[in-house]
Amino acid sequence: MELRRFEGAWTALVTPFTRSDRISWPEFERLVDFQVSQGITGLVPTGTTGESPTLTWGEHNKVIEATLRLRGSRCFVLAGTGSNSTAEALRGSHHALEAGAEAVLLVDCYYNGPSSLELRREYHGVIADACRGAKVVPYIIPGRSGTALAPEDLALLALEHPNVRAVKEATGDLARMAATRTLVGADFDILSGDDNLTPAMMSAPAIRASGVVSVVSNVAPAAVERMARALAQGNRSEGDRLANALEPLFGIVTVTVASERTIAGRTLTVRDKFRNPLPIKTLMRGLGMIRAGCRRPLGHMTRAGVAVVREAARAVWRANPEILAPIETAFGVSLDHRLSNDELWASLAYPND
């Protein structure tokens, strides 16, 4: 199985935990089997959605190894190995590639905030040079990393290192993506890093994205895969139909809601922004796919936040039940029962908040 182009849908896998905060390997196996049985193009373990910041590197390596073992030859693996330390990312990349991953995904260095020049010369370029026999994919997400590899430096990186042939774009900036396409040429793959922007990125002639690294495909892999394939083939009517059906789920990758705090007799309103992977894992718990949530400092959503997640699932289940129906068979659950269970969803929120 040879990876020639980055196309279709790639699931940014969650990492399931036990209630004692260890990795739940039986649940992980079931999640991977669900993905490949539904025809996903690729799996992306140990990224942001997989809570890589709170995994030890020992756990990180075991998650990648387990993904490769469980997928067999049924799909590709793009392993998240990025770090804010080049040496650490290099060790992780060597491990993932030696274990059998087709490619590695390198998020721009967070917190220490190198310039675009430094990202090209001291990070992405170093790893691409050391891993010449494998594909290296920069991951640009300034909202998380606080820095960004510029389109010009990405183009130079691709010229200097032929194994850099794709980018995961999560800037939300369509004009920037169009500039990237102009600079990198037609043979370079742009993957959407934002579920909701995938139709625009894949349909825009100035961008021509080839696929998506998706959060929502954790619960709807077949539908996201079909959407990406339809858009890639120029079938806008089918691609847009599927995108519209999935839209309620696209809207919960990040959830912002207002809640009240009472301090010294004063009631204040606070806007809480619950970011990936908390909403998708809350949904997966509600649907019966996993039992526990995230590692600290991620915790729980408020009741208002959980209600947004629940209503998104209900909207899809009412209008397009075929999108979520495969969960019932794969995980032995009744979605009608779970989506109507008020006590279940209340248990997923912070109590008294």
Side-chain angles (χ1 to χ4, degrees), residues 147-350:
T147 188
L149 184 68
E152 294 80 5
D153 279 306
L154 175 62
L156 286 170
L157 184 70
L159 285 172
E160 296 163 355
H161 302 280
N163 53 336
V164 178
R165 302 307 310 156
V167 64
K168 179 184 175 185
E169 243 287 0
T171 64
D173 185 343
L174 297 178
R176 176 203 153 97
M177 298 174 205
T180 294
R181 173 58 71 203
T182 299
L183 290 169
V184 298
D187 292 333
F188 193 94
D189 297 324
I190 298 175
L191 288 169
S192 168
D194 293 301
D195 277 290
N196 64 320
L197 288 181
T198 301
M201 290 175 63
M202 295 191 69
S203 300
I207 300 173
R208 300 192 308 282
S210 55
V212 57
V213 177
S214 173
V215 173
V216 168
S217 59
N218 275 283
V219 298
V224 176
E225 179 70 39
R226 289 198 302 271
M227 179 195 74
R229 291 293 174 183
L231 292 168
Q233 293 162 8
N235 187 346
R236 279 295 301 273
S237 60
E238 177 65 3
D240 287 347
R241 183 190 72 79
L242 286 162
N244 289 335
L246 288 160
E247 193 276 332
L249 299 178
F250 291 165
I252 65 165
V253 173
T254 296
V255 174
T256 303
V257 291
S259 61
E260 294 182 343
R261 314 276 203 272
T262 301
I263 304 170
R266 296 178 60 201
T267 299
L268 306 174
T269 300
V270 179
R271 290 181 65 80
D272 291 304
K273 185 176 184 179
F274 300 110
R275 303 178 73 180
N276 179 51
L278 181 56
I280 195 67
K281 290 188 88 172
T282 299
L283 176 59
M284 293 172 77
R285 292 176 72 191
L287 298 182
M289 301 174 72
I290 57 176
R291 290 171 295 170
C294 299
R295 276 187 173 167
R296 291 173 170 173
L298 300 183
H300 301 277
M301 303 178 79
T302 57
R303 284 172 291 178
V306 171
V308 171
V309 169
R310 182 187 186 185
E311 182 49 41
R314 280 173 147 175
V316 172
W317 187 239
R318 285 192 301 265
N320 301 98
E322 71 282 357
I323 287 177
L324 296 176
I327 293 171
E328 293 193 307
T329 301
F331 296 89
V333 297
S334 165
L335 294 189
D336 276 330
H337 172 72
R338 297 191 73 90
L339 288 170
S340 63
N341 189 331
D342 294 340
E343 184 178 348
L344 165 64
W345 291 90
S347 72
L348 302 180
Y350 277 118

